[in-house]
Amino acid sequence: AGGQTKTGGVIFVQDNRISIWSVGDLGNVGLNGEYQGEPQLLCDIRHNGDVMDMQFLDQERIVVASSTGTVTVFHHHQNNQTLSANQRWEKAHSHVDQDTSCGGAACTGVICNNPEIVTVGEDGRINLFRADQKDAVRTIDNADSSTLHAVTFLRTTEILTVNSIGQLKIWDLRQQRNEPSQIFSLTGDRVPLHCVDRHPNQQHVVATGGQDGMLSVWDIRQGTMPVSLLNAHEAEMWEVHFHPSNPDHLFTCSEDGSLWHWDTSTDVAEKPSFLHQGGRSTTYFSHNTINQSVVSAWLSNDPTKDRMEITNLIPNQTLSVNSLDILGPCLVYGTDAEAIYVNRQLFA
C-alpha cells in the first residue's frame, strides 16, 4: 500500500511496485505444507498509486487497478524476466469536480476474460476495455450512485457488481441501456459489500462478503435477498473465493486477521483436517440453522450435506489478511504484516 506525504512543497510518493515471484515447485514442501526454500523475486516495476486489484489477463499480461483511477496492463517478459507497461487507460475512473476539472477516483476492482477487461470504481462507473484497443469499448457512467467495490463475470456477456449500500447487481453488456438487469440487496442495514465470487460450475450461486464480516450466499434465479447469511468474521471481509476446481470449498479473509476455509463437501466427518499451525475450530450448521434452501452443496436440501466445517487457517494472526488466491493445492495470501504467505498443501 502506498500514500503520499507533503514536506515543504515537495511531495514524496511512496514507491509502490508490482512484483513477480517464483515459489518453486511442489517438491519443496515441509510437513505443514509450508514452502521450503526462499521464494525468488523474478522482477518488479514501479506503480503509480496504491494497487487496488490485480488480475492475470493471460500467461504474460497482468491488469492492475490503481487508486489514481488509472488501469494498466503490464507485460511479463519471461525470456529476460522484466516487466513493462504494455497499455494504460489514464483516469479510467474519475470524480468530476464543480469546475469540471477531473480528479482521479480509485479503480476498486478489475476482472478479465481475455481479451475483455471490466473495471469498477469509486465513481460508480463501469468500463469495458479490450486488450490492445485504445478506447473503452463501453462505459456506463453513473452505473451506480455509490462506490462499486468489486466485479466478476457471471457469463461471457454479463457481470456482477457489489456496492457500498449492500446491493448486488447484474449487468448485461449486450444491452445498450445503462441499467442493471437485476438488483439484489441485503435487507435491514445496508452493509457495504466488499467482495463477490460466482460458483465456477453453477453460475446461479454467488457468494459475497462485506463490512460486517458476514458471508452471504445468493441464488440469483430466485428472490432478491440472500439464500443464507452466515456469521463469519469479526471485521470486514475483504475477499471471498470458491475453489476454482473444487467449489465445495470456499475461502474468505478479513480485517480481523483470519482466513477461513468453508467446507461443504459430503464426507466432512471422515476427512483429515487441513494441516496448519495452531488450533482447529470446527462449526457444524444443520440446515435448520442456516435456511432450508441452503441444489449445489451451497443451496442443498440433500440430507447428506447438512453440515459445514469451518477452519481458520491462520489462527494466531492479528493483522488484516487483505487478499487471497487459490489454485489446486495452493493458497497464497497477503497481510498487513507486509508479508505474503504460500501454503502448498491445502488438502493434506
Side-chain angles (χ1 to χ4, degrees), residues 77-117:
H77 306 275
Q78 295 175 2
N79 53 351
N80 61 359
Q81 291 305 343
T82 56
L83 273 166
S84 64
N86 181 256
Q87 195 169 0
R88 187 173 277 129
W89 292 281
E90 297 281 353
K91 297 241 171 82
H93 295 275
S94 59
H95 292 298
V96 181
D97 297 326
Q98 302 305 325
D99 57 1
T100 69
S101 67
C102 283
C107 175
T108 52
V110 57
I111 192 76
C112 302
N113 186 14
N114 192 10
E116 297 190 317
I117 300 161

Side-chain angles (χ1 to χ4, degrees), residues 28-331:
N28 299 327
V29 170
L31 276 177
N32 287 330
E34 74 274 24
Y35 171 68
Q36 302 287 293
E38 288 297 304
Q40 297 295 311
L41 176 64
L42 299 180
C43 50
D44 64 359
I45 191 170
R46 272 202 63 184
H47 177 266
N48 192 14
D50 293 354
V51 175
M52 306 297 287
D53 199 7
M54 291 193 292
Q55 283 269 320
F56 276 101
L57 178 65
D58 55 25
Q59 292 288 322
E60 298 188 327
R61 289 179 295 177
I62 303 129
V63 183
V64 181
S66 171
S67 59
T68 64
T70 295
V71 176
T72 310
V73 181
F74 289 97
H75 191 197
H76 176 211
H77 306 275
Q78 295 175 2
N79 53 351
N80 61 359
Q81 291 305 343
T82 56
L83 273 166
S84 64
N86 181 256
Q87 195 169 0
R88 187 173 277 129
W89 292 281
E90 297 281 353
K91 297 241 171 82
H93 295 275
S94 59
H95 292 298
V96 181
D97 297 326
Q98 302 305 325
D99 57 1
T100 69
S101 67
C102 283
C107 175
T108 52
V110 57
I111 192 76
C112 302
N113 186 14
N114 192 10
E116 297 190 317
I117 300 161
V118 176
T119 70
V120 296
E122 276 180 5
D123 53 357
R125 177 185 294 171
I126 299 173
N127 290 307
L128 170 62
F129 297 111
R130 200 161 277 134
D132 308 320
Q133 272 191 31
K134 189 166 149 285
D135 296 318
V137 178
R138 173 96 189 268
T139 292
I140 305 179
D141 276 320
N142 303 314
D144 210 296
S145 56
S146 56
T147 295
L148 288 169
H149 280 147
V151 60
T152 194
F153 275 98
L154 178 60
R155 297 179 188 85
T156 329
T157 56
E158 288 180 295
I159 56 166
L160 289 162
T161 60
V162 290
N163 69 14
S164 59
I165 56 169
Q167 292 174 321
L168 168 71
K169 297 183 182 181
I170 300 178
W171 305 80
D172 187 337
L173 298 173
R174 292 164 304 188
Q175 301 287 337
Q176 280 316 298
R177 52 194 201 93
N178 295 339
E179 301 286 331
S181 52
Q182 275 182 280
I183 301 178
F184 305 83
S185 60
L186 296 171
T187 51
D189 301 334
R190 295 209 154 182
V191 176
L193 291 173
H194 289 301
C195 51
V196 57
D197 198 25
R198 186 209 79 204
H199 191 290
N201 313 334
Q202 296 175 313
Q203 298 176 325
H204 56 279
V205 179
V206 173
T208 63
Q211 189 165 299
D212 58 0
M214 297 277 280
L215 173 67
S216 304
V217 181
W218 314 68
D219 181 344
I220 59 169
R221 299 169 306 181
Q222 56 178 2
T224 57
M225 297 183 301
V227 169
S228 57
L229 283 169
L230 302 174
N231 275 313
H233 303 278
E234 289 166 20
E236 292 92 342
M237 185 189 294
W238 291 129
E239 286 197 13
V240 56
H241 289 292
F242 286 101
H243 191 289
S245 53
N246 201 348
D248 282 354
H249 300 266
L250 178 108
F251 298 83
T252 59
C253 65
S254 168
E255 180 71 28
D256 68 8
S258 61
L259 193 160
W260 285 16
H261 164 222
W262 305 71
D263 181 355
T264 63
S265 57
T266 45
D267 52 342
V268 164
E270 291 75 52
K271 265 209 307 285
S273 89
F274 272 175
L275 289 176
H276 59 83
Q277 62 280 31
R280 165 190 170 92
S281 65
T282 302
T283 310
Y284 292 105
F285 292 104
S286 75
H287 263 321
N288 310 335
T289 53
I290 303 178
N291 183 312
Q292 275 307 324
S293 53
V294 168
V295 186
S296 136
W298 298 97
L299 311 173
S300 169
N301 287 322
D302 178 346
T304 59
K305 292 184 175 166
D306 62 350
R307 49 192 185 178
M308 184 182 314
E309 184 179 36
I310 302 167
T311 311
N312 180 10
L313 297 185
I314 41 174
N316 305 320
Q317 161 79 4
T318 52
L319 295 166
S320 176
V321 183
N322 300 320
S323 188
L324 73 95
D325 205 0
I326 29 176
L327 187 65
C330 214
L331 167 73

